[in-house]
Amino acid sequence: MVDTLVIPLLKILIVLNATLVAVTYMVLLERKVIAWAQSRLGPMRVGPYGVLQPVADAVKLMIKEDITPVRADRWVFTAAPIISMVPALIVYAVIPFGPTVSLFGRQVSLYITDINVGLLYIVSVASVGVYGIILAGYASNSKFPLLASLRASAQLISYEVAVTLTLVSVILMSGSLSMVSIVRAQEASGMWYMFVQPLAFGIFVIGSLAETNRAPFDMPEAEQELTGGFHTEYSGMRFALFFLAEYANMIVVSSVATTLFLGGWLPPFPNVPLFDFLDIIPSWTWFLIKSFLFLYFFIWIRATLPRYRYDQLMRLGWKMLIPLAIANLVITGIVKVLLA
Amino acid sequence: MGEAIAFYFIAACILGFAVLVISTKDTVHSVLFLVVDFLFVAALYVLLGAQFIAAIQILVYAGGIVVLYLFVVMLVNLKRPPEAHADPHRLTKVGLGMSAAVLLELGAIALYSSQLPATPVAPGAPMPVTGNTEQVGWLLYTSYLIPFEVASMLLLVAMIGAIVLAKREL
């Protein structure tokens, strides 16, 4: 009873709440880091150094008027924010934050579940998330959201191909689709896959920037061309759901990159005896540190690079990243067969 | 018991959403019901213990093919009522006849199979691999190698055909 019901429910509760808190504070972190990059202070008024800004934002968004355009497709308009938020949250079911540890005299695994098709589950759930954007643009019955949603879905579908191809080369290396087994395989080989598969890692990082609609690929939200992007007609909490889904997706791709390429919960140099002193730091701390560095990198990129033009974006995706990913996959396969 | 309840619930949802797909007036809503239908089919696969097929079902059908359907439906304006609505009685008789034929056929199959003695399925050769994905891969590359290769060749031909049709002057 306790093992089959209470502990999984507790884990789900903790992971969901931690994610939502992390998402709201990601927004603050982004504003702060960009402010520092531009020699500003960022939010300073609400709480010391603005730490209560997310709370103020949440209250403001909740009490705002919720507007549905008259000519909108009412049902789809309501469903679209939910469709973008849900896939971003249920992906956390297979993210391993750490191995099995003993907690209060009980063996507790630091992941919600470890299914045999973990990585495939993440890819397929993420592929459903694109409906949120398409439907938001369609249901608004307005020009700019429709254009933005067409751009967004074309961009997502293009970069999904390259990203999925890099995942296949990781699967070839580890011989498994389960997220826990992929980390275990990195532990056994004594090397993070970032060093074995540098090209795949690079393509994954660029592709995940594009898949989360982040700068320099934030084409769907290009304010100068499209007013606000696919969520122009949304207000109040529904707009907030799109906003939160974007940040939740950022945390998802950071966690996936950490698990696949940065050794998940493993410390650096997992098999070198010289670095054994690093084991005193708990495993989940390593996971959080690595994910945080990745998120910081996302914000840093946004503060540094200007936006791509749309045709350049498509050219980069189809003519550079996908052929490189296929070449990487073929070379990985050949090397794997030669070494076996 | 729990499994039976889950099966009947999922099966009812699949049939219900399938009816909604063909009975909804708005084409975009119809495509959305199709997505929900595919998700429930994936749930049925999970119930059967085929997680790999379930994930592929969502990735390929719900996340890939239907997105393209949605594009076509959104960009081609179908708000105008179709011509068939002008004479709703014209095709009713044909439809009635065809569905009666299908119903008769299904009934005949049910009647015929209920009179056959139940034959136990012969257990296949034990597989040297464990795990859902590994077993699917093992079967595809041993017992079903030729159908698998034929299917991949068919897909390649279809892809080249699509390119040739879309780009006449290459």
Side-chain angles (χ1 to χ4, degrees), chain A residues 275-294:
Chain A
F275 289 96
D276 270 353
F277 68 90
L278 289 173
D279 286 344
I280 55 163
I281 300 174
S283 53
W284 51 270
T285 318
W286 284 115
F287 185 90
L288 294 185
I289 291 173
K290 291 173 196 170
S291 304
F292 177 79
L293 287 178
F294 217 90

PDB file of all heavy atoms in Angstrom, chain A residues 275-294:
ATOM      1  N   PHE A 275      38.856  11.457  -7.986  1.00  0.00           N
ATOM      2  CA  PHE A 275      37.740  12.383  -7.770  1.00  0.00           C
ATOM      3  C   PHE A 275      36.658  11.775  -6.888  1.00  0.00           C
ATOM      4  O   PHE A 275      35.535  12.242  -6.881  1.00  0.00           O
ATOM      5  CB  PHE A 275      37.143  12.822  -9.112  1.00  0.00           C
ATOM      6  CG  PHE A 275      38.045  13.737  -9.887  1.00  0.00           C
ATOM      7  CD1 PHE A 275      38.877  13.227 -10.862  1.00  0.00           C
ATOM      8  CD2 PHE A 275      38.072  15.092  -9.622  1.00  0.00           C
ATOM      9  CE1 PHE A 275      39.722  14.066 -11.568  1.00  0.00           C
ATOM     10  CE2 PHE A 275      38.921  15.933 -10.325  1.00  0.00           C
ATOM     11  CZ  PHE A 275      39.744  15.426 -11.295  1.00  0.00           C
ATOM     12  N   ASP A 276      37.007  10.716  -6.131  1.00  0.00           N
ATOM     13  CA  ASP A 276      35.999  10.054  -5.311  1.00  0.00           C
ATOM     14  C   ASP A 276      35.443  10.954  -4.217  1.00  0.00           C
ATOM     15  O   ASP A 276      34.328  10.744  -3.754  1.00  0.00           O
ATOM     16  CB  ASP A 276      36.596   8.794  -4.668  1.00  0.00           C
ATOM     17  CG  ASP A 276      36.405   7.590  -5.563  1.00  0.00           C
ATOM     18  OD1 ASP A 276      35.691   7.748  -6.580  1.00  0.00           O
ATOM     19  OD2 ASP A 276      36.962   6.523  -5.267  1.00  0.00           O
ATOM     20  N   PHE A 277      36.222  11.988  -3.825  1.00  0.00           N
ATOM     21  CA  PHE A 277      35.743  12.870  -2.759  1.00  0.00           C
ATOM     22  C   PHE A 277      34.480  13.620  -3.174  1.00  0.00           C
ATOM     23  O   PHE A 277      33.727  14.097  -2.338  1.00  0.00           O
ATOM     24  CB  PHE A 277      36.846  13.853  -2.350  1.00  0.00           C
ATOM     25  CG  PHE A 277      37.194  14.862  -3.407  1.00  0.00           C
ATOM     26  CD1 PHE A 277      36.529  16.084  -3.458  1.00  0.00           C
ATOM     27  CD2 PHE A 277      38.171  14.589  -4.371  1.00  0.00           C
ATOM     28  CE1 PHE A 277      36.841  17.019  -4.426  1.00  0.00           C
ATOM     29  CE2 PHE A 277      38.471  15.518  -5.329  1.00  0.00           C
ATOM     30  CZ  PHE A 277      37.805  16.734  -5.369  1.00  0.00           C
ATOM     31  N   LEU A 278      34.208  13.675  -4.504  1.00  0.00           N
ATOM     32  CA  LEU A 278      33.006  14.369  -4.981  1.00  0.00           C
ATOM     33  C   LEU A 278      31.739  13.614  -4.601  1.00  0.00           C
ATOM     34  O   LEU A 278      30.636  14.158  -4.668  1.00  0.00           O
ATOM     35  CB  LEU A 278      33.066  14.538  -6.500  1.00  0.00           C
ATOM     36  CG  LEU A 278      34.081  15.556  -7.009  1.00  0.00           C
ATOM     37  CD1 LEU A 278      34.167  15.509  -8.514  1.00  0.00           C
ATOM     38  CD2 LEU A 278      33.705  16.955  -6.561  1.00  0.00           C
ATOM     39  N   ASP A 279      31.880  12.323  -4.188  1.00  0.00           N
ATOM     40  CA  ASP A 279      30.695  11.526  -3.875  1.00  0.00           C
ATOM     41  C   ASP A 279      29.976  12.011  -2.620  1.00  0.00           C
ATOM     42  O   ASP A 279      28.825  11.610  -2.390  1.00  0.00           O
ATOM     43  CB  ASP A 279      31.087  10.053  -3.698  1.00  0.00           C
ATOM     44  CG  ASP A 279      31.395   9.416  -5.043  1.00  0.00           C
ATOM     45  OD1 ASP A 279      31.009  10.018  -6.063  1.00  0.00           O
ATOM     46  OD2 ASP A 279      32.022   8.342  -5.070  1.00  0.00           O
ATOM     47  N   ILE A 280      30.639  12.846  -1.787  1.00  0.00           N
ATOM     48  CA  ILE A 280      29.937  13.299  -0.583  1.00  0.00           C
ATOM     49  C   ILE A 280      28.798  14.243  -0.931  1.00  0.00           C
ATOM     50  O   ILE A 280      27.881  14.422  -0.149  1.00  0.00           O
ATOM     51  CB  ILE A 280      30.897  13.994   0.421  1.00  0.00           C
ATOM     52  CG1 ILE A 280      31.638  15.144  -0.276  1.00  0.00           C
ATOM     53  CG2 ILE A 280      31.851  13.011   1.052  1.00  0.00           C
ATOM     54  CD1 ILE A 280      32.266  16.108   0.687  1.00  0.00           C
ATOM     55  N   ILE A 281      28.828  14.835  -2.130  1.00  0.00           N
ATOM     56  CA  ILE A 281      27.700  15.683  -2.551  1.00  0.00           C
ATOM     57  C   ILE A 281      26.600  14.769  -3.046  1.00  0.00           C
ATOM     58  O   ILE A 281      26.850  13.899  -3.885  1.00  0.00           O
ATOM     59  CB  ILE A 281      28.151  16.660  -3.661  1.00  0.00           C
ATOM     60  CG1 ILE A 281      29.276  17.534  -3.121  1.00  0.00           C
ATOM     61  CG2 ILE A 281      26.998  17.503  -4.147  1.00  0.00           C
ATOM     62  CD1 ILE A 281      29.892  18.435  -4.135  1.00  0.00           C
ATOM     63  N   PRO A 282      25.352  14.915  -2.540  1.00  0.00           N
ATOM     64  CA  PRO A 282      24.283  13.981  -2.933  1.00  0.00           C
ATOM     65  C   PRO A 282      24.007  14.024  -4.437  1.00  0.00           C
ATOM     66  O   PRO A 282      24.181  15.062  -5.085  1.00  0.00           O
ATOM     67  CB  PRO A 282      23.064  14.471  -2.145  1.00  0.00           C
ATOM     68  CG  PRO A 282      23.519  15.555  -1.276  1.00  0.00           C
ATOM     69  CD  PRO A 282      24.920  15.897  -1.553  1.00  0.00           C
ATOM     70  N   SER A 283      23.563  12.859  -4.956  1.00  0.00           N
ATOM     71  CA  SER A 283      23.422  12.698  -6.401  1.00  0.00           C
ATOM     72  C   SER A 283      22.470  13.727  -7.014  1.00  0.00           C
ATOM     73  O   SER A 283      22.761  14.320  -8.047  1.00  0.00           O
ATOM     74  CB  SER A 283      22.916  11.302  -6.705  1.00  0.00           C
ATOM     75  OG  SER A 283      21.752  11.056  -5.952  1.00  0.00           O
ATOM     76  N   TRP A 284      21.307  13.963  -6.325  1.00  0.00           N
ATOM     77  CA  TRP A 284      20.326  14.871  -6.930  1.00  0.00           C
ATOM     78  C   TRP A 284      20.863  16.289  -7.008  1.00  0.00           C
ATOM     79  O   TRP A 284      20.437  17.064  -7.871  1.00  0.00           O
ATOM     80  CB  TRP A 284      19.000  14.827  -6.171  1.00  0.00           C
ATOM     81  CG  TRP A 284      19.119  15.008  -4.691  1.00  0.00           C
ATOM     82  CD1 TRP A 284      19.292  14.030  -3.768  1.00  0.00           C
ATOM     83  CD2 TRP A 284      19.107  16.240  -3.978  1.00  0.00           C
ATOM     84  NE1 TRP A 284      19.386  14.571  -2.514  1.00  0.00           N
ATOM     85  CE2 TRP A 284      19.273  15.926  -2.608  1.00  0.00           C
ATOM     86  CE3 TRP A 284      18.982  17.576  -4.338  1.00  0.00           C
ATOM     87  CZ2 TRP A 284      19.307  16.904  -1.627  1.00  0.00           C
ATOM     88  CZ3 TRP A 284      19.009  18.551  -3.365  1.00  0.00           C
ATOM     89  CH2 TRP A 284      19.172  18.208  -2.022  1.00  0.00           C
ATOM     90  N   THR A 285      21.832  16.644  -6.140  1.00  0.00           N
ATOM     91  CA  THR A 285      22.410  17.983  -6.219  1.00  0.00           C
ATOM     92  C   THR A 285      23.158  18.169  -7.533  1.00  0.00           C
ATOM     93  O   THR A 285      23.064  19.217  -8.171  1.00  0.00           O
ATOM     94  CB  THR A 285      23.381  18.220  -5.052  1.00  0.00           C
ATOM     95  OG1 THR A 285      22.798  17.700  -3.874  1.00  0.00           O
ATOM     96  CG2 THR A 285      23.670  19.678  -4.876  1.00  0.00           C
ATOM     97  N   TRP A 286      23.884  17.100  -7.936  1.00  0.00           N
ATOM     98  CA  TRP A 286      24.591  17.184  -9.220  1.00  0.00           C
ATOM     99  C   TRP A 286      23.605  17.416 -10.349  1.00  0.00           C
ATOM    100  O   TRP A 286      23.837  18.237 -11.242  1.00  0.00           O
ATOM    101  CB  TRP A 286      25.379  15.900  -9.487  1.00  0.00           C
ATOM    102  CG  TRP A 286      26.632  15.802  -8.693  1.00  0.00           C
ATOM    103  CD1 TRP A 286      26.915  14.888  -7.733  1.00  0.00           C
ATOM    104  CD2 TRP A 286      27.770  16.669  -8.776  1.00  0.00           C
ATOM    105  NE1 TRP A 286      28.142  15.129  -7.204  1.00  0.00           N
ATOM    106  CE2 TRP A 286      28.702  16.206  -7.825  1.00  0.00           C
ATOM    107  CE3 TRP A 286      28.092  17.781  -9.549  1.00  0.00           C
ATOM    108  CZ2 TRP A 286      29.934  16.817  -7.646  1.00  0.00           C
ATOM    109  CZ3 TRP A 286      29.314  18.386  -9.368  1.00  0.00           C
ATOM    110  CH2 TRP A 286      30.224  17.916  -8.425  1.00  0.00           C
ATOM    111  N   PHE A 287      22.491  16.670 -10.294  1.00  0.00           N
ATOM    112  CA  PHE A 287      21.486  16.810 -11.346  1.00  0.00           C
ATOM    113  C   PHE A 287      20.979  18.250 -11.412  1.00  0.00           C
ATOM    114  O   PHE A 287      20.912  18.854 -12.489  1.00  0.00           O
ATOM    115  CB  PHE A 287      20.323  15.852 -11.083  1.00  0.00           C
ATOM    116  CG  PHE A 287      19.299  15.846 -12.162  1.00  0.00           C
ATOM    117  CD1 PHE A 287      19.408  14.975 -13.224  1.00  0.00           C
ATOM    118  CD2 PHE A 287      18.229  16.728 -12.134  1.00  0.00           C
ATOM    119  CE1 PHE A 287      18.481  14.974 -14.229  1.00  0.00           C
ATOM    120  CE2 PHE A 287      17.298  16.737 -13.144  1.00  0.00           C
ATOM    121  CZ  PHE A 287      17.434  15.858 -14.195  1.00  0.00           C
ATOM    122  N   LEU A 288      20.656  18.810 -10.231  1.00  0.00           N
ATOM    123  CA  LEU A 288      20.107  20.167 -10.214  1.00  0.00           C
ATOM    124  C   LEU A 288      21.141  21.180 -10.680  1.00  0.00           C
ATOM    125  O   LEU A 288      20.816  22.120 -11.417  1.00  0.00           O
ATOM    126  CB  LEU A 288      19.602  20.511  -8.804  1.00  0.00           C
ATOM    127  CG  LEU A 288      18.404  19.688  -8.338  1.00  0.00           C
ATOM    128  CD1 LEU A 288      17.904  20.190  -6.999  1.00  0.00           C
ATOM    129  CD2 LEU A 288      17.282  19.734  -9.361  1.00  0.00           C
ATOM    130  N   ILE A 289      22.414  20.994 -10.262  1.00  0.00           N
ATOM    131  CA  ILE A 289      23.462  21.949 -10.678  1.00  0.00           C
ATOM    132  C   ILE A 289      23.588  21.952 -12.196  1.00  0.00           C
ATOM    133  O   ILE A 289      23.601  23.017 -12.840  1.00  0.00           O
ATOM    134  CB  ILE A 289      24.817  21.577 -10.031  1.00  0.00           C
ATOM    135  CG1 ILE A 289      24.772  21.824  -8.530  1.00  0.00           C
ATOM    136  CG2 ILE A 289      25.951  22.375 -10.651  1.00  0.00           C
ATOM    137  CD1 ILE A 289      25.999  21.323  -7.804  1.00  0.00           C
ATOM    138  N   LYS A 290      23.652  20.746 -12.782  1.00  0.00           N
ATOM    139  CA  LYS A 290      23.835  20.668 -14.229  1.00  0.00           C
ATOM    140  C   LYS A 290      22.646  21.274 -14.966  1.00  0.00           C
ATOM    141  O   LYS A 290      22.818  22.014 -15.943  1.00  0.00           O
ATOM    142  CB  LYS A 290      24.011  19.212 -14.649  1.00  0.00           C
ATOM    143  CG  LYS A 290      25.306  18.608 -14.194  1.00  0.00           C
ATOM    144  CD  LYS A 290      25.291  17.131 -14.519  1.00  0.00           C
ATOM    145  CE  LYS A 290      26.363  16.392 -13.775  1.00  0.00           C
ATOM    146  NZ  LYS A 290      26.196  14.951 -13.918  1.00  0.00           N
ATOM    147  N   SER A 291      21.418  20.959 -14.495  1.00  0.00           N
ATOM    148  CA  SER A 291      20.243  21.529 -15.157  1.00  0.00           C
ATOM    149  C   SER A 291      20.247  23.045 -15.048  1.00  0.00           C
ATOM    150  O   SER A 291      19.901  23.749 -16.006  1.00  0.00           O
ATOM    151  CB  SER A 291      18.964  20.987 -14.538  1.00  0.00           C
ATOM    152  OG  SER A 291      18.965  19.604 -14.579  1.00  0.00           O
ATOM    153  N   PHE A 292      20.651  23.552 -13.869  1.00  0.00           N
ATOM    154  CA  PHE A 292      20.654  24.995 -13.675  1.00  0.00           C
ATOM    155  C   PHE A 292      21.645  25.665 -14.634  1.00  0.00           C
ATOM    156  O   PHE A 292      21.331  26.694 -15.234  1.00  0.00           O
ATOM    157  CB  PHE A 292      21.007  25.333 -12.224  1.00  0.00           C
ATOM    158  CG  PHE A 292      21.101  26.802 -11.978  1.00  0.00           C
ATOM    159  CD1 PHE A 292      19.953  27.556 -11.805  1.00  0.00           C
ATOM    160  CD2 PHE A 292      22.320  27.452 -11.955  1.00  0.00           C
ATOM    161  CE1 PHE A 292      20.024  28.913 -11.607  1.00  0.00           C
ATOM    162  CE2 PHE A 292      22.407  28.808 -11.763  1.00  0.00           C
ATOM    163  CZ  PHE A 292      21.254  29.543 -11.583  1.00  0.00           C
ATOM    164  N   LEU A 293      22.834  25.044 -14.781  1.00  0.00           N
ATOM    165  CA  LEU A 293      23.819  25.630 -15.697  1.00  0.00           C
ATOM    166  C   LEU A 293      23.250  25.708 -17.107  1.00  0.00           C
ATOM    167  O   LEU A 293      23.442  26.683 -17.832  1.00  0.00           O
ATOM    168  CB  LEU A 293      25.096  24.783 -15.696  1.00  0.00           C
ATOM    169  CG  LEU A 293      25.949  24.915 -14.440  1.00  0.00           C
ATOM    170  CD1 LEU A 293      27.155  24.005 -14.517  1.00  0.00           C
ATOM    171  CD2 LEU A 293      26.397  26.361 -14.276  1.00  0.00           C
ATOM    172  N   PHE A 294      22.518  24.657 -17.483  1.00  0.00           N
ATOM    173  CA  PHE A 294      21.914  24.625 -18.805  1.00  0.00           C
ATOM    174  C   PHE A 294      20.891  25.740 -18.974  1.00  0.00           C
ATOM    175  O   PHE A 294      20.873  26.449 -19.990  1.00  0.00           O
ATOM    176  CB  PHE A 294      21.238  23.267 -18.990  1.00  0.00           C
ATOM    177  CG  PHE A 294      21.366  22.751 -20.362  1.00  0.00           C
ATOM    178  CD1 PHE A 294      22.442  21.950 -20.714  1.00  0.00           C
ATOM    179  CD2 PHE A 294      20.430  23.069 -21.321  1.00  0.00           C
ATOM    180  CE1 PHE A 294      22.574  21.490 -21.990  1.00  0.00           C
ATOM    181  CE2 PHE A 294      20.560  22.601 -22.598  1.00  0.00           C
ATOM    182  CZ  PHE A 294      21.633  21.810 -22.937  1.00  0.00           C
TER     183      PHE A 294
END
